[in-house]
Structures are given as structure tokens and as C-alpha cells.
Amino acid sequence: MSANLSATFYLISGILFILALRGLSSPETSRQGNYFGIAGMVIAIAVTFLAIGNFGLGFIVVLIFLLVGGSIGAFIAFRIPMTAMPELVAGFHSLVGLAAVFVAIAAFLKPEAFNLGIVGNIKLASLIEMSLGAAIGAITFSGSIIAFLKLRGIMSGAPITFKGQHILNLFLGILILVLIFYLCKTQMSNIFWAIVIISFLVGVLLIIPIGGADMPVVISMLNSYSGWAAAGIGFTLENTALIITGALVGSSGAILSYIMCKGMNRSFFNVILGGWGASEQNSTSTSKEQKPVKNGNADDAAFLMKNASSVIIVPGYGMAVAQAQHALREMVDALKKNGVKVSYAIHPVAGRMPGHMNVLLAEANVPYDEVFELEEINNDFSNCDVAYVIGANDVTNPVAKSDPQSPIYGMPVLDVEKSKSVLFVKRSLSPGYAGIDNDLFYRDNTLMLFADAKKMTEEIVKSL
């Protein structure tokens, strides 16, 4: 295939990727966006193979690995429950970073195969690109592994800190840049391997001080890192599709991280540098042993909601764990038959990854026009008869507005406590992912429904 024809098809692939991102910006067009992304990737892979033009043994080996890897990915995607989607994303990010490291290593050891020069005399621009791609890829890999372990519960979600941690991170970051400079001057293999090893260490150090409650931002941040790693390697390989795709993923991930930081009142630059989330997990709110709560059952909840004029549903990770979205849809349908107005309130960081709740509600065919983001619906709670909180915790905690010592202080939360009545579905009074008690449990207008989210919702449907 000619270079001009390859460039044309890569451009078409890039346009499809842009359309994919555009489609994924709304639940209504997300399916179409996915199809655009699939089409763009198929074109990119096909053009890459045709551009090589060598269909010998190497091509067959690559094709076998492509089929094996694709089959494993498809199997995991079909089997994975929605509750495990955040750690799946973290795991896949790690593979993108590792792939970037492997490509950089191959380019450094065999530069002539990539038309980059010869060992010891690699083009300066290519050397910078491959070293940056390897560094960012290594940081993405090890950082994503730590995020996976925290989300999976294999590793504690609590921040892991030590004295001088940020100074060490800064020193290692500067050291990587210095080593890249000397690599460009000497092209010594020992320096290249030192860059890779130190970058793996930096990835670990960046993520371990970040608490489990902040993982949604970490996921989007690592997504951005994986994109920039791919873009760096794309320059090394002179592959237009990889450059475009990496830049799109990197920039969109960075923008999403920024939006998430605004949603949690965090510093964007501190997130990038792994410098936040390590605050003491303490709060001045009164302990749950010292305050009583009101217990209720499905009949109580059904009575309150049936006699309400408006109900706002606040879904959270507990709904995802219980797979209660379909039962919730049944309950809402029953309420609508009784003339009750129902809306859904989604916090930007509800669940453990961006858009987690939106995907679950879409799976239950909840109409998109009934789902509202925090900024759109927060003022409605003061006029709401009943707020039905199903598994959400930290995103409804009033101490974020009142307790300066709280780790979530300053984070915008849903003003659930302003509703006339709050029905809070939870298994127990245990703290949320941020590790702090929720003051909402003890409010006079809160009725706690201690049960599995799906079971309780199904019982309410029967009562209705």
C-alpha cells in the first residue's frame, strides 16, 4: 500500500475516533460512538498490516497473538460484572502502558528495523520520543496495577504515605528528565534501562498515597497517561493513527480528570503529581455509637413514596454491587402509575469510575431525560418530598460542607438532607469508601432501610 493511501486511511481512522469520542459524550449516542470507534480501529489495524506488506512467518505470528489477545479481551468483557468495571479499566490501562514500554525497548535495541538509525546512532528526535514513551508507559503500567489492586480489595484502599514522599517523587521525576538528556548525548543502554526501572517505581509512588475514595479521578488520570504514552510511541514508529489515537485519549483523559477534580474540589496539578488523597481519615462528626438512627422497612418506604408528589433517586456503588438497577426501574414505574414525579440525581464521582451510574441506569432502560447531574438537580432537593438513596454514601455526606477536618471537605455533594424525607438503603452504618461516617444517617428526616439494595427495592415494589 502506498504512503499516500495509508495516510488517507489513517486520517479516516482518526476522524472516526473523534466521532467516537463525540458520541460517547452522551448516553443517547454512546452506542453509535462505540461503533465509530470499532470501525476506526479495524481500519487502523488493517492499514498497518497492509503498509508493512510482509506476509511471511512474522505476519502469521503477529496475527496469532492478535487473535489470542482479542479472544481473551472479548471473554473478559463478556464475563465482567459492572461492579468490577473500574478495576477492568485500570487493568487494561496497565497493558497499554506495558505495550508502550515494549515497543520503546524494541525500537532502542533494533532501531534499524524502524528506520531510526543504528544502535549507538539513533536519531535524536526518535530517542527523545521513545524515552518519553517508555517513561510514561512504565508509570502508567505500575500505577494502574496499584489502582487495580486497591479497587479489587487485594491492597488496602487507605492512603500509604511516608515522610518525604513528595520530595522523593519530585527528585525521581527530575532524575528521569536528566537521564533522558544524558541518554540523548551518550545513547548508553544502561541509562535507558535506568529510565524504565525508575519510571516503574514512580508509578507506584504516585498512586499509593491516593485514597480509595479518589479512585474515579485516578482512573481517568491513568487513562490520560496511557494515551500520551501511545502518542509518544506513535511518533517513534511514525504511525499517524497511533499519534492521533494517543493524543485523543491523552487529552480527553486529562479533560475528564479536570472535570472530576472540579467535582471533588481538588487541585488538578496535585492529582497529576499524586500529591493528594493522603490526608488523615478523620472527622469531627459524632460517632455512630453515640447517636440513634431511625429504622424503617419496605412498607414504610412504600407509604412515604406513594403519598409523595416528587421523588429523587440517588444511586451509588451499593446499587451496582447489588445489581439493583432493574428492580429500581420497576419501583419507579410503579410510582409513576401513582402519579409521582421521579428523577435521578447523579454525582460526578458516584461509583468507582466516571459514568458508572449512567451506564447502570442505561442498562435498565431508564429514560435519559429523567437523569440529571449534580448541578442540574441539586436545587430541587429542597422541594422534594422523598429522596431515595440507594447505596450512595460519600457523595451525600453533609460533612463535606461543614467539617473542615474531613477528608472530603469542600467536595460538592448532593443536598439530599434538604428533602422532606430521606430513605437511605444500606446494609449497615459502616463508612463509605472515604472511610468516614455519614452525618446524614442521623438526621431527623432520615429513615434507614438496612438491607441489600436489590432485595429492599423489590420488597418496596411489592408493597406499592
PDB file of all heavy atoms in Angstrom, residues 138-139 142-143 146 150 155 160-162 164-173 197-210 221 272-276 278:
ATOM      1  N   ALA A 138       5.740   3.170  31.486  1.00  0.00           N
ATOM      2  CA  ALA A 138       6.098   2.448  32.714  1.00  0.00           C
ATOM      3  C   ALA A 138       5.340   3.001  33.910  1.00  0.00           C
ATOM      4  O   ALA A 138       4.852   2.246  34.764  1.00  0.00           O
ATOM      5  CB  ALA A 138       7.609   2.544  32.942  1.00  0.00           C
ATOM      6  N   ILE A 139       5.214   4.325  33.986  1.00  0.00           N
ATOM      7  CA  ILE A 139       4.447   4.948  35.075  1.00  0.00           C
ATOM      8  C   ILE A 139       2.988   4.501  35.002  1.00  0.00           C
ATOM      9  O   ILE A 139       2.361   4.178  36.015  1.00  0.00           O
ATOM     10  CB  ILE A 139       4.550   6.482  34.991  1.00  0.00           C
ATOM     11  CG1 ILE A 139       5.969   6.938  35.320  1.00  0.00           C
ATOM     12  CG2 ILE A 139       3.550   7.151  35.937  1.00  0.00           C
ATOM     13  CD1 ILE A 139       6.220   8.410  35.052  1.00  0.00           C
ATOM     14  N   SER A 142       2.731   0.523  36.160  1.00  0.00           N
ATOM     15  CA  SER A 142       2.817   0.249  37.599  1.00  0.00           C
ATOM     16  C   SER A 142       1.736   0.994  38.379  1.00  0.00           C
ATOM     17  O   SER A 142       1.162   0.453  39.330  1.00  0.00           O
ATOM     18  CB  SER A 142       4.209   0.613  38.120  1.00  0.00           C
ATOM     19  OG  SER A 142       4.537   1.956  37.812  1.00  0.00           O
ATOM     20  N   GLY A 143       1.409   2.231  37.959  1.00  0.00           N
ATOM     21  CA  GLY A 143       0.348   2.973  38.625  1.00  0.00           C
ATOM     22  C   GLY A 143      -1.003   2.293  38.466  1.00  0.00           C
ATOM     23  O   GLY A 143      -1.800   2.233  39.414  1.00  0.00           O
ATOM     24  N   ILE A 146      -1.328  -0.736  40.778  1.00  0.00           N
ATOM     25  CA  ILE A 146      -1.670  -0.351  42.151  1.00  0.00           C
ATOM     26  C   ILE A 146      -3.148   0.024  42.240  1.00  0.00           C
ATOM     27  O   ILE A 146      -3.845  -0.362  43.188  1.00  0.00           O
ATOM     28  CB  ILE A 146      -0.793   0.829  42.621  1.00  0.00           C
ATOM     29  CG1 ILE A 146       0.682   0.427  42.643  1.00  0.00           C
ATOM     30  CG2 ILE A 146      -1.234   1.312  43.991  1.00  0.00           C
ATOM     31  CD1 ILE A 146       0.999  -0.710  43.575  1.00  0.00           C
ATOM     32  N   LYS A 150      -6.011  -1.831  44.558  1.00  0.00           N
ATOM     33  CA  LYS A 150      -6.831  -1.102  45.524  1.00  0.00           C
ATOM     34  C   LYS A 150      -8.319  -1.285  45.241  1.00  0.00           C
ATOM     35  O   LYS A 150      -9.122  -1.500  46.152  1.00  0.00           O
ATOM     36  CB  LYS A 150      -6.465   0.388  45.503  1.00  0.00           C
ATOM     37  CG  LYS A 150      -5.126   0.707  46.151  1.00  0.00           C
ATOM     38  CD  LYS A 150      -5.002   2.191  46.447  1.00  0.00           C
ATOM     39  CE  LYS A 150      -3.767   2.484  47.271  1.00  0.00           C
ATOM     40  NZ  LYS A 150      -3.753   3.809  47.868  1.00  0.00           N
ATOM     41  N   MET A 155      -5.343  -4.930  47.876  1.00  0.00           N
ATOM     42  CA  MET A 155      -4.491  -3.994  48.599  1.00  0.00           C
ATOM     43  C   MET A 155      -5.387  -2.983  49.301  1.00  0.00           C
ATOM     44  O   MET A 155      -6.458  -2.642  48.798  1.00  0.00           O
ATOM     45  CB  MET A 155      -3.566  -3.284  47.589  1.00  0.00           C
ATOM     46  CG  MET A 155      -2.610  -2.294  48.168  1.00  0.00           C
ATOM     47  SD  MET A 155      -1.581  -1.613  46.815  1.00  0.00           S
ATOM     48  CE  MET A 155      -0.586  -0.466  47.757  1.00  0.00           C
ATOM     49  N   ILE A 160      -1.235   5.326  51.488  1.00  0.00           N
ATOM     50  CA  ILE A 160       0.033   4.843  52.045  1.00  0.00           C
ATOM     51  C   ILE A 160       1.049   5.975  51.899  1.00  0.00           C
ATOM     52  O   ILE A 160       1.424   6.348  50.786  1.00  0.00           O
ATOM     53  CB  ILE A 160       0.529   3.580  51.311  1.00  0.00           C
ATOM     54  CG1 ILE A 160      -0.513   2.460  51.437  1.00  0.00           C
ATOM     55  CG2 ILE A 160       1.879   3.130  51.861  1.00  0.00           C
ATOM     56  CD1 ILE A 160      -0.187   1.229  50.617  1.00  0.00           C
ATOM     57  N   THR A 161       1.461   6.525  53.024  1.00  0.00           N
ATOM     58  CA  THR A 161       2.344   7.694  52.988  1.00  0.00           C
ATOM     59  C   THR A 161       3.571   7.466  53.863  1.00  0.00           C
ATOM     60  O   THR A 161       3.570   6.613  54.754  1.00  0.00           O
ATOM     61  CB  THR A 161       1.614   8.951  53.480  1.00  0.00           C
ATOM     62  OG1 THR A 161       1.173   8.739  54.824  1.00  0.00           O
ATOM     63  CG2 THR A 161       0.404   9.257  52.606  1.00  0.00           C
ATOM     64  N   PHE A 162       4.597   8.230  53.605  1.00  0.00           N
ATOM     65  CA  PHE A 162       5.791   8.224  54.446  1.00  0.00           C
ATOM     66  C   PHE A 162       6.446   9.592  54.346  1.00  0.00           C
ATOM     67  O   PHE A 162       6.175  10.368  53.432  1.00  0.00           O
ATOM     68  CB  PHE A 162       6.771   7.115  54.031  1.00  0.00           C
ATOM     69  CG  PHE A 162       7.154   7.142  52.580  1.00  0.00           C
ATOM     70  CD1 PHE A 162       8.223   7.925  52.134  1.00  0.00           C
ATOM     71  CD2 PHE A 162       6.457   6.376  51.648  1.00  0.00           C
ATOM     72  CE1 PHE A 162       8.584   7.943  50.803  1.00  0.00           C
ATOM     73  CE2 PHE A 162       6.805   6.400  50.315  1.00  0.00           C
ATOM     74  CZ  PHE A 162       7.874   7.187  49.879  1.00  0.00           C
ATOM     75  N   GLY A 164       8.676  12.627  53.576  1.00  0.00           N
ATOM     76  CA  GLY A 164       9.495  12.988  52.425  1.00  0.00           C
ATOM     77  C   GLY A 164       9.043  12.372  51.117  1.00  0.00           C
ATOM     78  O   GLY A 164       9.790  12.374  50.133  1.00  0.00           O
ATOM     79  N   GLN A 165       7.811  11.870  51.098  1.00  0.00           N
ATOM     80  CA  GLN A 165       7.315  11.167  49.909  1.00  0.00           C
ATOM     81  C   GLN A 165       7.265  12.078  48.684  1.00  0.00           C
ATOM     82  O   GLN A 165       7.716  11.699  47.600  1.00  0.00           O
ATOM     83  CB  GLN A 165       5.924  10.602  50.203  1.00  0.00           C
ATOM     84  CG  GLN A 165       5.367   9.706  49.114  1.00  0.00           C
ATOM     85  CD  GLN A 165       4.102   9.022  49.590  1.00  0.00           C
ATOM     86  OE1 GLN A 165       3.329   9.587  50.344  1.00  0.00           O
ATOM     87  NE2 GLN A 165       3.873   7.798  49.158  1.00  0.00           N
ATOM     88  N   HIS A 166       6.735  13.273  48.839  1.00  0.00           N
ATOM     89  CA  HIS A 166       6.587  14.181  47.702  1.00  0.00           C
ATOM     90  C   HIS A 166       7.943  14.682  47.200  1.00  0.00           C
ATOM     91  O   HIS A 166       8.142  14.876  46.001  1.00  0.00           O
ATOM     92  CB  HIS A 166       5.686  15.357  48.071  1.00  0.00           C
ATOM     93  CG  HIS A 166       4.314  14.942  48.514  1.00  0.00           C
ATOM     94  ND1 HIS A 166       3.599  13.960  47.869  1.00  0.00           N
ATOM     95  CD2 HIS A 166       3.541  15.351  49.558  1.00  0.00           C
ATOM     96  CE1 HIS A 166       2.444  13.793  48.476  1.00  0.00           C
ATOM     97  NE2 HIS A 166       2.386  14.621  49.510  1.00  0.00           N
ATOM     98  N   ILE A 167       8.867  14.880  48.142  1.00  0.00           N
ATOM     99  CA  ILE A 167      10.221  15.292  47.746  1.00  0.00           C
ATOM    100  C   ILE A 167      10.885  14.181  46.939  1.00  0.00           C
ATOM    101  O   ILE A 167      11.560  14.433  45.930  1.00  0.00           O
ATOM    102  CB  ILE A 167      11.065  15.633  48.994  1.00  0.00           C
ATOM    103  CG1 ILE A 167      10.464  16.843  49.706  1.00  0.00           C
ATOM    104  CG2 ILE A 167      12.523  15.904  48.623  1.00  0.00           C
ATOM    105  CD1 ILE A 167      11.142  17.192  51.014  1.00  0.00           C
ATOM    106  N   LEU A 168      10.674  12.927  47.361  1.00  0.00           N
ATOM    107  CA  LEU A 168      11.228  11.782  46.624  1.00  0.00           C
ATOM    108  C   LEU A 168      10.631  11.709  45.224  1.00  0.00           C
ATOM    109  O   LEU A 168      11.359  11.479  44.238  1.00  0.00           O
ATOM    110  CB  LEU A 168      10.951  10.488  47.392  1.00  0.00           C
ATOM    111  CG  LEU A 168      11.404   9.188  46.698  1.00  0.00           C
ATOM    112  CD1 LEU A 168      12.911   9.200  46.462  1.00  0.00           C
ATOM    113  CD2 LEU A 168      10.989   7.973  47.525  1.00  0.00           C
ATOM    114  N   ASN A 169       9.306  11.897  45.125  1.00  0.00           N
ATOM    115  CA  ASN A 169       8.659  11.879  43.808  1.00  0.00           C
ATOM    116  C   ASN A 169       9.230  12.963  42.896  1.00  0.00           C
ATOM    117  O   ASN A 169       9.493  12.720  41.708  1.00  0.00           O
ATOM    118  CB  ASN A 169       7.149  12.082  43.954  1.00  0.00           C
ATOM    119  CG  ASN A 169       6.454  10.867  44.548  1.00  0.00           C
ATOM    120  OD1 ASN A 169       7.027   9.789  44.607  1.00  0.00           O
ATOM    121  ND2 ASN A 169       5.233  11.055  45.006  1.00  0.00           N
ATOM    122  N   LEU A 170       9.411  14.155  43.455  1.00  0.00           N
ATOM    123  CA  LEU A 170       9.968  15.257  42.678  1.00  0.00           C
ATOM    124  C   LEU A 170      11.392  14.938  42.224  1.00  0.00           C
ATOM    125  O   LEU A 170      11.754  15.177  41.070  1.00  0.00           O
ATOM    126  CB  LEU A 170       9.958  16.541  43.515  1.00  0.00           C
ATOM    127  CG  LEU A 170      10.554  17.791  42.853  1.00  0.00           C
ATOM    128  CD1 LEU A 170       9.765  18.175  41.608  1.00  0.00           C
ATOM    129  CD2 LEU A 170      10.574  18.957  43.854  1.00  0.00           C
ATOM    130  N   PHE A 171      12.191  14.382  43.139  1.00  0.00           N
ATOM    131  CA  PHE A 171      13.577  14.030  42.808  1.00  0.00           C
ATOM    132  C   PHE A 171      13.622  12.996  41.681  1.00  0.00           C
ATOM    133  O   PHE A 171      14.408  13.126  40.730  1.00  0.00           O
ATOM    134  CB  PHE A 171      14.276  13.482  44.054  1.00  0.00           C
ATOM    135  CG  PHE A 171      15.633  12.872  43.769  1.00  0.00           C
ATOM    136  CD1 PHE A 171      16.730  13.669  43.509  1.00  0.00           C
ATOM    137  CD2 PHE A 171      15.777  11.486  43.748  1.00  0.00           C
ATOM    138  CE1 PHE A 171      17.971  13.099  43.233  1.00  0.00           C
ATOM    139  CE2 PHE A 171      17.003  10.911  43.480  1.00  0.00           C
ATOM    140  CZ  PHE A 171      18.109  11.719  43.221  1.00  0.00           C
ATOM    141  N   LEU A 172      12.780  11.961  41.780  1.00  0.00           N
ATOM    142  CA  LEU A 172      12.778  10.909  40.760  1.00  0.00           C
ATOM    143  C   LEU A 172      12.298  11.451  39.416  1.00  0.00           C
ATOM    144  O   LEU A 172      12.805  11.062  38.357  1.00  0.00           O
ATOM    145  CB  LEU A 172      11.896   9.742  41.207  1.00  0.00           C
ATOM    146  CG  LEU A 172      12.409   8.937  42.402  1.00  0.00           C
ATOM    147  CD1 LEU A 172      11.401   7.862  42.797  1.00  0.00           C
ATOM    148  CD2 LEU A 172      13.753   8.298  42.085  1.00  0.00           C
ATOM    149  N   GLY A 173      11.312  12.369  39.441  1.00  0.00           N
ATOM    150  CA  GLY A 173      10.848  12.972  38.192  1.00  0.00           C
ATOM    151  C   GLY A 173      11.945  13.766  37.499  1.00  0.00           C
ATOM    152  O   GLY A 173      12.137  13.659  36.283  1.00  0.00           O
ATOM    153  N   ILE A 197      13.261   1.504  34.705  1.00  0.00           N
ATOM    154  CA  ILE A 197      13.112   0.987  36.073  1.00  0.00           C
ATOM    155  C   ILE A 197      12.631   2.080  37.024  1.00  0.00           C
ATOM    156  O   ILE A 197      11.708   1.871  37.830  1.00  0.00           O
ATOM    157  CB  ILE A 197      14.456   0.397  36.565  1.00  0.00           C
ATOM    158  CG1 ILE A 197      14.796  -0.864  35.753  1.00  0.00           C
ATOM    159  CG2 ILE A 197      14.383   0.055  38.049  1.00  0.00           C
ATOM    160  CD1 ILE A 197      16.188  -1.396  35.996  1.00  0.00           C
ATOM    161  N   ILE A 198      13.236   3.271  36.932  1.00  0.00           N
ATOM    162  CA  ILE A 198      12.828   4.375  37.814  1.00  0.00           C
ATOM    163  C   ILE A 198      11.384   4.774  37.532  1.00  0.00           C
ATOM    164  O   ILE A 198      10.623   5.092  38.452  1.00  0.00           O
ATOM    165  CB  ILE A 198      13.770   5.579  37.635  1.00  0.00           C
ATOM    166  CG1 ILE A 198      15.171   5.227  38.129  1.00  0.00           C
ATOM    167  CG2 ILE A 198      13.249   6.798  38.390  1.00  0.00           C
ATOM    168  CD1 ILE A 198      16.213   6.276  37.836  1.00  0.00           C
ATOM    169  N   SER A 199      10.974   4.731  36.266  1.00  0.00           N
ATOM    170  CA  SER A 199       9.597   5.098  35.909  1.00  0.00           C
ATOM    171  C   SER A 199       8.596   4.109  36.495  1.00  0.00           C
ATOM    172  O   SER A 199       7.507   4.505  36.949  1.00  0.00           O
ATOM    173  CB  SER A 199       9.457   5.159  34.388  1.00  0.00           C
ATOM    174  OG  SER A 199      10.288   6.160  33.838  1.00  0.00           O
ATOM    175  N   PHE A 200       8.943   2.813  36.497  1.00  0.00           N
ATOM    176  CA  PHE A 200       8.082   1.828  37.150  1.00  0.00           C
ATOM    177  C   PHE A 200       7.909   2.177  38.626  1.00  0.00           C
ATOM    178  O   PHE A 200       6.805   2.093  39.177  1.00  0.00           O
ATOM    179  CB  PHE A 200       8.673   0.421  37.023  1.00  0.00           C
ATOM    180  CG  PHE A 200       8.415  -0.246  35.703  1.00  0.00           C
ATOM    181  CD1 PHE A 200       9.452  -0.826  34.980  1.00  0.00           C
ATOM    182  CD2 PHE A 200       7.134  -0.306  35.173  1.00  0.00           C
ATOM    183  CE1 PHE A 200       9.213  -1.445  33.764  1.00  0.00           C
ATOM    184  CE2 PHE A 200       6.886  -0.923  33.960  1.00  0.00           C
ATOM    185  CZ  PHE A 200       7.929  -1.495  33.253  1.00  0.00           C
ATOM    186  N   LEU A 201       8.981   2.578  39.289  1.00  0.00           N
ATOM    187  CA  LEU A 201       8.936   2.944  40.703  1.00  0.00           C
ATOM    188  C   LEU A 201       8.082   4.196  40.915  1.00  0.00           C
ATOM    189  O   LEU A 201       7.279   4.262  41.860  1.00  0.00           O
ATOM    190  CB  LEU A 201      10.351   3.181  41.220  1.00  0.00           C
ATOM    191  CG  LEU A 201      10.479   3.653  42.673  1.00  0.00           C
ATOM    192  CD1 LEU A 201       9.878   2.628  43.630  1.00  0.00           C
ATOM    193  CD2 LEU A 201      11.940   3.932  43.028  1.00  0.00           C
ATOM    194  N   VAL A 202       8.221   5.188  40.042  1.00  0.00           N
ATOM    195  CA  VAL A 202       7.449   6.424  40.149  1.00  0.00           C
ATOM    196  C   VAL A 202       5.950   6.133  40.051  1.00  0.00           C
ATOM    197  O   VAL A 202       5.138   6.717  40.780  1.00  0.00           O
ATOM    198  CB  VAL A 202       7.871   7.436  39.067  1.00  0.00           C
ATOM    199  CG1 VAL A 202       6.906   8.616  39.000  1.00  0.00           C
ATOM    200  CG2 VAL A 202       9.281   7.950  39.345  1.00  0.00           C
ATOM    201  N   GLY A 203       5.567   5.225  39.160  1.00  0.00           N
ATOM    202  CA  GLY A 203       4.154   4.866  39.012  1.00  0.00           C
ATOM    203  C   GLY A 203       3.562   4.355  40.316  1.00  0.00           C
ATOM    204  O   GLY A 203       2.439   4.705  40.692  1.00  0.00           O
ATOM    205  N   VAL A 204       4.333   3.537  41.037  1.00  0.00           N
ATOM    206  CA  VAL A 204       3.884   3.017  42.330  1.00  0.00           C
ATOM    207  C   VAL A 204       3.764   4.149  43.343  1.00  0.00           C
ATOM    208  O   VAL A 204       2.755   4.284  44.045  1.00  0.00           O
ATOM    209  CB  VAL A 204       4.861   1.939  42.855  1.00  0.00           C
ATOM    210  CG1 VAL A 204       4.475   1.507  44.263  1.00  0.00           C
ATOM    211  CG2 VAL A 204       4.870   0.742  41.917  1.00  0.00           C
ATOM    212  N   LEU A 205       4.798   4.994  43.409  1.00  0.00           N
ATOM    213  CA  LEU A 205       4.828   6.070  44.399  1.00  0.00           C
ATOM    214  C   LEU A 205       3.750   7.126  44.157  1.00  0.00           C
ATOM    215  O   LEU A 205       3.298   7.777  45.097  1.00  0.00           O
ATOM    216  CB  LEU A 205       6.214   6.728  44.403  1.00  0.00           C
ATOM    217  CG  LEU A 205       7.373   5.842  44.896  1.00  0.00           C
ATOM    218  CD1 LEU A 205       8.700   6.562  44.719  1.00  0.00           C
ATOM    219  CD2 LEU A 205       7.166   5.452  46.354  1.00  0.00           C
ATOM    220  N   LEU A 206       3.343   7.307  42.898  1.00  0.00           N
ATOM    221  CA  LEU A 206       2.308   8.290  42.596  1.00  0.00           C
ATOM    222  C   LEU A 206       0.933   7.857  43.061  1.00  0.00           C
ATOM    223  O   LEU A 206       0.104   8.682  43.457  1.00  0.00           O
ATOM    224  CB  LEU A 206       2.260   8.568  41.088  1.00  0.00           C
ATOM    225  CG  LEU A 206       3.333   9.478  40.492  1.00  0.00           C
ATOM    226  CD1 LEU A 206       3.166   9.563  38.982  1.00  0.00           C
ATOM    227  CD2 LEU A 206       3.257  10.872  41.097  1.00  0.00           C
ATOM    228  N   ILE A 207       0.662   6.560  43.022  1.00  0.00           N
ATOM    229  CA  ILE A 207      -0.695   6.073  43.285  1.00  0.00           C
ATOM    230  C   ILE A 207      -0.907   5.620  44.722  1.00  0.00           C
ATOM    231  O   ILE A 207      -2.009   5.754  45.260  1.00  0.00           O
ATOM    232  CB  ILE A 207      -1.046   4.923  42.312  1.00  0.00           C
ATOM    233  CG1 ILE A 207      -0.863   5.375  40.864  1.00  0.00           C
ATOM    234  CG2 ILE A 207      -2.494   4.466  42.512  1.00  0.00           C
ATOM    235  CD1 ILE A 207      -1.677   6.596  40.477  1.00  0.00           C
ATOM    236  N   ILE A 208       0.135   5.115  45.405  1.00  0.00           N
ATOM    237  CA  ILE A 208      -0.093   4.587  46.760  1.00  0.00           C
ATOM    238  C   ILE A 208      -0.587   5.641  47.757  1.00  0.00           C
ATOM    239  O   ILE A 208      -1.317   5.289  48.694  1.00  0.00           O
ATOM    240  CB  ILE A 208       1.163   3.877  47.328  1.00  0.00           C
ATOM    241  CG1 ILE A 208       2.371   4.818  47.352  1.00  0.00           C
ATOM    242  CG2 ILE A 208       1.454   2.598  46.560  1.00  0.00           C
ATOM    243  CD1 ILE A 208       3.569   4.208  48.085  1.00  0.00           C
ATOM    244  N   PRO A 209      -0.252   6.956  47.611  1.00  0.00           N
ATOM    245  CA  PRO A 209      -0.788   7.904  48.598  1.00  0.00           C
ATOM    246  C   PRO A 209      -2.212   8.350  48.323  1.00  0.00           C
ATOM    247  O   PRO A 209      -2.768   9.151  49.075  1.00  0.00           O
ATOM    248  CB  PRO A 209       0.180   9.091  48.494  1.00  0.00           C
ATOM    249  CG  PRO A 209       0.611   9.086  47.081  1.00  0.00           C
ATOM    250  CD  PRO A 209       0.708   7.633  46.717  1.00  0.00           C
ATOM    251  N   ILE A 210      -2.817   7.846  47.271  1.00  0.00           N
ATOM    252  CA  ILE A 210      -4.171   8.261  46.903  1.00  0.00           C
ATOM    253  C   ILE A 210      -5.174   7.291  47.504  1.00  0.00           C
ATOM    254  O   ILE A 210      -5.079   6.084  47.312  1.00  0.00           O
ATOM    255  CB  ILE A 210      -4.336   8.337  45.379  1.00  0.00           C
ATOM    256  CG1 ILE A 210      -3.361   9.361  44.799  1.00  0.00           C
ATOM    257  CG2 ILE A 210      -5.760   8.697  44.998  1.00  0.00           C
ATOM    258  CD1 ILE A 210      -3.409   9.504  43.305  1.00  0.00           C
ATOM    259  N   MET A 221      -7.136   9.761  35.199  1.00  0.00           N
ATOM    260  CA  MET A 221      -5.766  10.256  35.087  1.00  0.00           C
ATOM    261  C   MET A 221      -4.882   9.225  34.398  1.00  0.00           C
ATOM    262  O   MET A 221      -4.098   9.549  33.496  1.00  0.00           O
ATOM    263  CB  MET A 221      -5.222  10.581  36.471  1.00  0.00           C
ATOM    264  CG  MET A 221      -3.786  11.096  36.487  1.00  0.00           C
ATOM    265  SD  MET A 221      -3.182  11.312  38.179  1.00  0.00           S
ATOM    266  CE  MET A 221      -2.984   9.598  38.681  1.00  0.00           C
ATOM    267  N   ILE A 272      -2.282  15.115  39.168  1.00  0.00           N
ATOM    268  CA  ILE A 272      -1.293  14.652  38.194  1.00  0.00           C
ATOM    269  C   ILE A 272      -0.015  14.201  38.889  1.00  0.00           C
ATOM    270  O   ILE A 272       0.609  13.205  38.500  1.00  0.00           O
ATOM    271  CB  ILE A 272      -0.970  15.766  37.173  1.00  0.00           C
ATOM    272  CG1 ILE A 272      -2.203  16.082  36.333  1.00  0.00           C
ATOM    273  CG2 ILE A 272       0.184  15.381  36.273  1.00  0.00           C
ATOM    274  CD1 ILE A 272      -2.005  17.253  35.398  1.00  0.00           C
ATOM    275  N   LEU A 273       0.357  14.914  39.952  1.00  0.00           N
ATOM    276  CA  LEU A 273       1.601  14.619  40.655  1.00  0.00           C
ATOM    277  C   LEU A 273       1.407  13.622  41.795  1.00  0.00           C
ATOM    278  O   LEU A 273       2.345  13.342  42.534  1.00  0.00           O
ATOM    279  CB  LEU A 273       2.200  15.926  41.203  1.00  0.00           C
ATOM    280  CG  LEU A 273       2.552  16.970  40.138  1.00  0.00           C
ATOM    281  CD1 LEU A 273       3.009  18.249  40.804  1.00  0.00           C
ATOM    282  CD2 LEU A 273       3.633  16.446  39.199  1.00  0.00           C
ATOM    283  N   GLY A 274       0.183  13.110  41.947  1.00  0.00           N
ATOM    284  CA  GLY A 274      -0.063  12.139  43.016  1.00  0.00           C
ATOM    285  C   GLY A 274       0.085  12.735  44.395  1.00  0.00           C
ATOM    286  O   GLY A 274       0.425  12.042  45.344  1.00  0.00           O
ATOM    287  N   GLY A 275      -0.187  14.041  44.526  1.00  0.00           N
ATOM    288  CA  GLY A 275       0.093  14.732  45.776  1.00  0.00           C
ATOM    289  C   GLY A 275      -1.095  14.951  46.672  1.00  0.00           C
ATOM    290  O   GLY A 275      -1.026  15.741  47.592  1.00  0.00           O
ATOM    291  N   TRP A 276      -2.209  14.284  46.419  1.00  0.00           N
ATOM    292  CA  TRP A 276      -3.365  14.494  47.289  1.00  0.00           C
ATOM    293  C   TRP A 276      -4.024  13.163  47.570  1.00  0.00           C
ATOM    294  O   TRP A 276      -3.678  12.144  46.998  1.00  0.00           O
ATOM    295  CB  TRP A 276      -4.368  15.448  46.651  1.00  0.00           C
ATOM    296  CG  TRP A 276      -4.969  14.939  45.401  1.00  0.00           C
ATOM    297  CD1 TRP A 276      -4.448  15.009  44.150  1.00  0.00           C
ATOM    298  CD2 TRP A 276      -6.198  14.239  45.254  1.00  0.00           C
ATOM    299  NE1 TRP A 276      -5.261  14.413  43.246  1.00  0.00           N
ATOM    300  CE2 TRP A 276      -6.354  13.931  43.891  1.00  0.00           C
ATOM    301  CE3 TRP A 276      -7.201  13.842  46.129  1.00  0.00           C
ATOM    302  CZ2 TRP A 276      -7.453  13.254  43.391  1.00  0.00           C
ATOM    303  CZ3 TRP A 276      -8.307  13.170  45.623  1.00  0.00           C
ATOM    304  CH2 TRP A 276      -8.410  12.894  44.268  1.00  0.00           C
ATOM    305  N   ALA A 278      -4.010  11.921  50.562  1.00  0.00           N
ATOM    306  CA  ALA A 278      -3.278  11.299  51.655  1.00  0.00           C
ATOM    307  C   ALA A 278      -3.570  11.932  52.999  1.00  0.00           C
ATOM    308  O   ALA A 278      -2.841  11.773  53.951  1.00  0.00           O
ATOM    309  CB  ALA A 278      -1.783  11.394  51.370  1.00  0.00           C
TER     310      ALA A 278
END
